[in-house]
Amino acid sequence: MSAVPGDPVQTDRADAGDVLLDVRNVVKSYGASTVLDGVSLTVRRGETVAIIGPSGSGKSTLLRTINHLQAPTHGFVVLDGDVIGYRVGPRALRQLSEREVLRQRTRIGFVFQSFNLFPHLTAVENVAEAPVSALGRDRAESTRTATELLTRVGLSHRLDAYPRQLSGGEQQRVAIARALALEPELILFDEPTSALDPELVDEVLSVIIDLARGGTTLVIVTHEIAFARRVADTVIFMDHGKIVESGPATQVLDHPTHARTQEFLALVR
């Protein structure tokens, strides 16, 4: 298999400190179209990072590249010292098998904007399924854990409901519990409230805020600026596939230095 073009492969930087996620010079292209253009960022353990920006700026593609749903054209992603999707060779990266990539993905939870629940499974079955199928855990044990997680997100009374019987907010909370069931090191959220009616948004955001306060490492693509200000340690503004500005939430949201960030925030406030 061919090597992925990129920087020299060194996954044990001396200055890494408590960095959990390290995205290094990631480019994602489709033919002549470049969706991500040299994106680099680090996320520390327990940190919450909010990514904002206009539609088409590459935010969702970045998340999908982090957990290797889409392989980078250039650059690579390191999670706790392991390159996602590749094996480190003496001179280059080599692609892992799909089975090996799926195993790596169990370390990264992903909550989609469209829920993606199995329609033929109940809430508790949806949450219990991944630990059984992906990690080979005992089903009875997984069901007990799923019940605890659904209780944690306020759905102890909806264990046996099917997705069609749940509101959008309830479905998204099931999706969050499902992500937690694999005990991931990192959870990615892709516009977790964009498919919800306005009155259901707060019930989902409150669960995410509780996760952040509990020390779970989160990367959240969101259009909710007030939520980003409340929950994020770091805010990243993206435009045209690049990180334009990043820093503490109060700095980026209240005192942005880049003209493009200022223009965007003036439109969405």
Side-chain angles (χ1 to χ4, degrees):
M1 297 181 182
S2 60
V4 175
D7 301 324
V9 180
Q10 298 178 349
T11 61
D12 56 349
R13 290 180 175 177
D15 63 345
D18 205 29
V19 170
L20 175 65
L21 176 69
D22 190 356
V23 178
R24 303 190 195 173
N25 196 29
V26 164
V27 174
K28 181 62 181 177
S29 299
Y30 300 94
S33 176
T34 298
V35 181
L36 296 176
D37 190 3
V39 173
S40 295
L41 65 94
T42 58
V43 179
R44 297 187 177 276
R45 298 178 196 278
E47 185 178 11
T48 297
V49 175
I51 304 176
I52 63 172
S55 298
S57 59
K59 306 184 301 296
S60 294
T61 300
L62 175 58
L63 292 193
R64 296 175 71 86
T65 302
I66 288 172
N67 82 335
H68 214 72
L69 285 174
Q70 297 178 352
T73 306
H74 179 100
F76 50 96
V77 175
V78 181
L79 181 72
D80 198 18
D82 293 329
V83 180
I84 300 299
Y86 301 96
R87 180 178 294 108
V88 179
R91 298 176 61 87
L93 300 176
R94 301 289 175 176
Q95 292 180 7
L96 295 178
S97 69
E98 184 60 25
R99 179 185 294 270
E100 291 170 312
V101 173
L102 288 172
R103 189 75 179 182
Q104 283 187 326
R105 281 199 197 114
T106 64
R107 301 169 61 190
I108 306 174
F110 202 124
V111 178
F112 299 86
Q113 55 185 292
S114 55
F115 320 137
N116 285 9
L117 301 179
F118 294 114
H120 62 290
L121 299 181
T122 64
V124 72
E125 290 168 342
N126 261 284
V127 176
E129 183 59 33
V132 173
S133 59
L135 300 179
R137 291 181 181 168
D138 175 74
R139 186 168 293 278
E141 175 191 348
S142 294
T143 300
R144 286 193 295 271
T145 300
T147 300
E148 293 170 0
L149 290 171
L150 287 168
T151 299
R152 179 178 176 183
V153 299
L155 292 174
S156 59
H157 61 302
R158 303 294 270 158
L159 301 179
D160 297 322
Y162 289 91
R164 66 179 180 276
Q165 298 171 317
L166 299 173
S167 70
E170 289 173 332
Q171 290 186 64
Q172 193 62 295
R173 283 186 282 160
V174 173
I176 293 171
R178 181 179 59 183
L180 291 169
L182 292 171
E183 300 177 4
E185 298 168 61
L186 167 70
I187 302 181
L188 310 175
F189 290 86
D190 188 8
E191 297 278 12
T193 62
S194 65
L196 302 180
D197 292 333
E199 64 268 22
L200 301 177
V201 168
D202 284 349
E203 67 186 56
V204 172
L205 296 185
S206 65
V207 171
I208 300 173
I209 289 169
D210 286 344
L211 291 176
R213 288 174 175 169
T216 305
T217 309
L218 310 175
V219 178
I220 309 166
V221 168
T222 184
H223 62 277
E224 302 275 353
I225 301 302
F227 168 64
R229 179 182 285 104
R230 182 178 178 188
V231 74
D233 301 299
T234 300
V235 171
I236 292 172
F237 173 69
M238 291 186 66
D239 193 32
H240 295 293
K242 293 179 178 289
I243 292 178
V244 175
E245 188 165 355
S246 66
T250 53
Q251 174 189 313
V252 174
L253 297 177
D254 298 330
H255 307 287
T257 60
H258 197 283
R260 183 66 187 95
T261 314
Q262 295 169 3
E263 178 187 358
F264 173 78
L265 291 171
L267 291 172
V268 298
R269 281 176 175 151

